[in-house]
Amino acid sequence: MKKTSNLLIIQLIFFSCLFMQVTAYGQTSDLVKSEGITSPLHQANVGRITFMSKGIPVEEYKETDFLKTFEIKEGIDLSIQTYLGNSLTNYLHPLAPKLTADEVNSLGNYQFSFYVDNSLIYKENLHPGAGLPENKKTKTVFQIPLISSTNADSWGRYLWGRFMAYGGEDALAVGKPHLLKIEIRPYVKNPDLVTGNIIAHGEITLTVTKPQVDPAKLQPQAIQPGSGFSISNLKYDKEKIKELNQKIEEKTFKQITSIVVLKDGQLVLEEYFNGATRTTLHDPRSVGKTFASAAMGIAIKDGYIKNENQTLGQFYNLKEFSNYSARKDSVTLRSLLMMSSGFDGSDNNSESPGNEENMYPTNNWVKFALDLPMDKAKVMEKNWDYFTAGVVVLGDVIHKSVPGGLEKYADEKLFKPLGIKNYKWQYTPQHVANTAGGIQLASLDFARFGQLYLNDGKWNNKQILPQKWVNSSLAKQVALPDGSGSYGYLFWNKTYKVGNASYETYYCSGNGGNKIFIFKELGLVVVVTATAYNTPYAHPQVDKIIQRYILPAVVTGNTTVSSGK
């Protein structure tokens, strides 16, 4: 009997220790104290996502406000209110039980899955930075807008925009009801992705209505005289262009301002939307970076800069800047052109010290860049990372090296030879032409710039850019880390697929969906300008424009090519 008692005591101690260990790791207890169940309405709807047509205060929200059907049209609002059984932090904790509350919040968030008519359309692990840390620890009810007529600044609206851009727009076809279902799970990435069970879900029947469009606006726009280009007699597929124009006019493709297409140097399409005209100066943001590459190539041709392999140490006394190292001295101009210099700077990471948003408030952007430390994890000319401050340094190097400075030099050596007269620079705090982006040109002049590269650097039989520089600029210098393509000298590279055919393009790209595409093998230049700045749909919608409309219409839909005036 004594032995049995002792064994029982040992077992009790063992299970007590196990229980304490499990509790310590958050398997059976909460990591932080949440608000708990906040109301009878909450109690009745734990684990449910509800939909409302506009934001209703939590204390006023009633079950009769829950939407079952909704019409998506211009100028509406749609929000969700989600009732959870616990706070996000406590849902994350079992996925990484050894981490503190702050640690799990920095490595995880909600995972959203969007289904349309029972097919998974889009899944996203919400960025850990979305949402306030204190709310993640305590809140068990959250309300967030998905569609906002006032463009509310919220992670929910951007999440909805990404869902629509990456499949939702196509899945929610106009003219019939669709069942939208949303599921929410917790996730932690540390470093592997761990996803928990569903913590909330909801569904609603949606119908989509588009505004009526004047049929006259769907026709390809007539090209007016005085463009500076011959007009092509290419027999393109006009029905495809009418479909494209309808998408733009009904705002499926949003904030597009112009589309210009050149084939073999002749004008095929010149279309303007949303108030833009032939004379409008468009702000293409980072498309302007590529003009720095062109200016660099000309400066090397003229002998003001020896070559792109020159190092920063040959232009600056880097010991005068913070975080000096011999490695910084050896950073090449080439590596800055390739976005692979090794500086601790990334515009893709809001926490990066060299993020461009940290640069703009400073009174000297070049100093900001050269003060940055080097990133020990990066290998120069091997690891790509988008780094606007580095392109500002390139502009400063050119400005210091050429007679009269960058602005005057670019005007004489690049713009005047191309016949570009009307343009507008933005400037750095030192009043140097801003190569971070933002030079404003008319759409036809962006097309001239693209045609210059298609012509291997020639314009009117004069070599403006060395052909060798053009080749280097468009070469696949470094692979993009997401596997989507490669990068040259401030040029992007990717391949579009249309049916069984593949079309490689080199392109300049800027915030808002601004692009200059060069399809070398097709003899094609396409310019798209847009004002969809800082929206999730800006770039995906341009991909659709090229892949679904421009290439099928102009390449696969044409029957003959002849010259015309």
Side-chain angles (χ1 to χ4, degrees):
M1 188 71 182
K2 191 174 180 180
K3 286 186 178 180
T4 303
S5 299
N6 289 341
L7 179 60
L8 181 60
I9 291 170
I10 292 171
Q11 288 175 330
L12 287 171
I13 293 172
F14 171 78
F15 284 112
S16 176
C17 291
L18 179 62
F19 174 78
M20 288 188 292
Q21 183 180 23
V22 169
T23 301
Y25 285 163
Q27 301 272 330
T28 60
S29 70
D30 291 344
L31 182 61
V32 293
K33 183 174 177 56
S34 74
E35 289 182 344
I37 305 302
T38 58
S39 69
L41 185 65
H42 185 176
Q43 179 68 59
N45 292 280
V46 170
R48 186 174 178 187
I49 301 170
T50 67
F51 297 83
M52 65 179 76
S53 60
K54 58 182 179 179
I56 301 174
V58 174
E59 62 275 9
E60 299 177 16
Y61 192 46
K62 306 180 297 295
E63 196 153 346
T64 53
D65 295 318
F66 297 0
L67 295 178
K68 295 181 179 179
T69 62
F70 189 73
E71 181 184 9
I72 295 181
K73 58 184 179 180
E74 195 170 355
I76 54 87
D77 296 271
L78 179 65
S79 296
I80 58 172
Q81 182 145 303
T82 301
Y83 295 100
L84 300 173
N86 211 331
S87 67
L88 174 62
T89 304
N90 289 327
Y91 281 125
L92 295 175
H93 188 224
L95 307 181
K98 295 184 180 181
L99 301 183
T100 66
D102 290 336
E103 288 170 339
V104 291
N105 286 338
S106 70
L107 296 171
N109 209 321
Y110 299 115
Q111 179 189 85
F112 277 78
S113 298
F114 292 83
Y115 296 80
V116 176
D117 300 330
N118 296 313
S119 294
L120 178 62
I121 301 300
Y122 182 69
K123 181 186 290 185
E124 179 178 318
N125 297 323
L126 199 63
H127 190 279
L132 297 174
E134 192 56 37
N135 287 348
K136 295 177 186 180
K137 293 176 183 177
T138 61
K139 294 292 183 182
T140 53
V141 178
F142 70 84
Q143 183 182 124
I144 198 80
L146 299 180
I147 305 172
S148 170
S149 58
T150 59
N151 294 326
D153 186 14
S154 74
W155 59 258
R157 189 170 69 86
Y158 289 99
L159 173 67
W160 178 265
R162 290 189 290 273
F163 154 64
M164 292 295 282
Y166 292 101
E169 192 83 58
D170 295 329
L172 295 171
V174 176
K176 64 176 184 177
H178 299 277
L179 180 67
L180 172 72
K181 182 169 64 176
I182 301 176
E183 295 175 348
I184 302 177
R185 296 171 174 82
Y187 85 89
V188 170
K189 191 170 184 182
N190 182 37
D192 297 325
L193 178 67
V194 181
T195 306
N197 296 324
I198 295 173
I199 56 176
H201 62 90
E203 60 185 46
I204 187 171
T205 299
L206 299 177
T207 55
V208 179
T209 302
K210 295 291 185 180
Q212 292 296 314
V213 178
D214 181 353
K217 292 186 175 182
L218 306 185
Q219 296 294 332
Q221 297 171 25
I223 298 174
Q224 301 300 315
S227 69
F229 292 98
S230 298
I231 299 176
S232 173
N233 284 337
L234 180 74
K235 304 298 182 183
Y236 61 87
D237 186 342
K238 291 187 177 181
E239 291 303 312
K240 275 289 179 189
I241 300 305
K242 287 170 66 176
E243 290 176 25
L244 170 58
N245 288 350
Q246 175 151 354
K247 296 287 188 184
I248 295 171
E249 292 292 343
E250 71 185 17
K251 302 191 186 309
T252 297
F253 296 144
K254 302 171 183 66
Q255 297 157 274
I256 303 296
T257 50
S258 75
I259 297 175
V260 171
V261 178
L262 301 178
K263 179 73 167 73
D264 300 325
Q266 297 181 320
L267 197 52
V268 177
L269 286 172
E270 184 188 5
E271 308 247 286
Y272 298 99
F273 309 94
N274 294 309
T277 67
R278 178 179 278 182
T279 59
T280 298
L281 295 183
H282 303 276
D283 180 2
R285 304 295 170 92
S286 289
V287 166
K289 287 181 168 69
T290 313
F291 285 79
S293 176
M296 178 70 72
I298 296 170
I300 290 172
K301 173 179 71 76
D302 290 346
Y304 296 114
I305 296 172
K306 292 180 182 178
N307 56 60
E308 66 266 41
N309 293 313
Q310 284 193 269
T311 63
L312 287 182
Q314 295 172 272
F315 296 94
Y316 302 96
N317 180 4
L318 293 173
K319 292 181 179 178
E320 296 178 353
F321 297 88
S322 301
N323 299 300
Y324 172 75
S325 70
R327 189 174 163 218
K328 190 185 292 188
D329 258 333
S330 66
V331 168
T332 62
L333 302 180
R334 181 172 185 267
S335 71
L336 291 168
L337 289 162
M338 292 164 53
M339 296 274 188
S340 59
S341 61
F343 273 99
D344 190 3
S346 173
D347 295 347
N348 295 325
N349 178 5
S350 60
E351 303 300 319
S352 170
N355 185 285
E356 65 176 316
E357 298 303 325
N358 297 328
M359 174 183 74
Y360 294 125
T362 69
N363 60 12
N364 189 320
W365 298 352
V366 174
K367 183 178 185 303
F368 168 86
L370 298 180
D371 276 343
L372 291 170
M374 302 301 290
D375 188 329
K376 295 178 181 178
K378 293 178 181 176
V379 178
M380 188 175 71
E381 300 188 6
K382 297 293 183 184
N383 297 115
W384 183 92
D385 208 339
Y386 202 77
F387 181 47
T388 291
V391 187
V392 173
V393 173
L394 285 174
D396 190 62
V397 167
I398 300 168
H399 182 74
K400 290 160 54 110
S401 303
V402 299
L406 172 58
E407 184 176 0
K408 180 181 178 183
Y409 188 75
D411 183 70
E412 293 178 354
K413 298 290 186 172
L414 179 62
F415 294 128
K416 282 182 179 176
L418 291 178
I420 298 173
K421 300 176 182 178
N422 189 20
Y423 62 92
K424 183 179 179 181
W425 281 104
Q426 293 177 358
Y427 298 95
T428 71
Q430 279 60 52
H431 205 75
V432 175
N434 177 20
T435 50
I439 186 170
Q440 299 178 28
L441 284 82
S443 302
L444 289 175
D445 290 336
F446 285 123
R448 287 179 169 84
F449 184 75
Q451 190 66 36
L452 176 67
Y453 281 83
L454 188 64
N455 294 345
D456 294 325
K458 285 186 178 181
W459 189 263
N460 291 335
N461 294 317
K462 181 180 179 182
Q463 197 77 43
I464 307 300
L465 279 172
Q467 183 172 350
K468 181 181 178 183
W469 185 260
V470 172
N471 293 342
S472 296
S473 298
L474 303 184
K476 299 175 182 178
Q477 299 285 4
V478 60
L480 300 178
D482 64 358
S484 63
S486 59
Y487 203 75
Y489 287 177
L490 301 178
F491 266 99
W492 303 77
N493 169 275
K494 72 190 302 180
T495 297
Y496 287 105
K497 291 189 176 181
V498 181
N500 295 323
S502 296
Y503 302 105
E504 185 178 30
T505 185
Y506 312 91
Y507 64 104
C508 324
S509 181
N511 189 352
N514 293 281
K515 313 276 184 179
I516 305 173
F517 293 99
I518 302 160
F519 293 87
K520 291 280 283 185
E521 294 181 0
L522 300 175
L524 198 68
V525 171
V526 182
V527 173
V528 179
T529 62
T531 58
Y533 302 119
N534 302 315
T535 64
Y537 52 79
H539 298 299
Q541 72 179 8
V542 176
D543 285 335
K544 291 175 185 176
I545 287 171
I546 298 299
Q547 188 169 26
R548 299 182 184 181
Y549 299 97
I550 298 298
L551 288 175
V554 176
V555 179
T556 63
N558 72 81
T559 56
T560 184
V561 180
S562 61
S563 62
K565 296 292 182 183

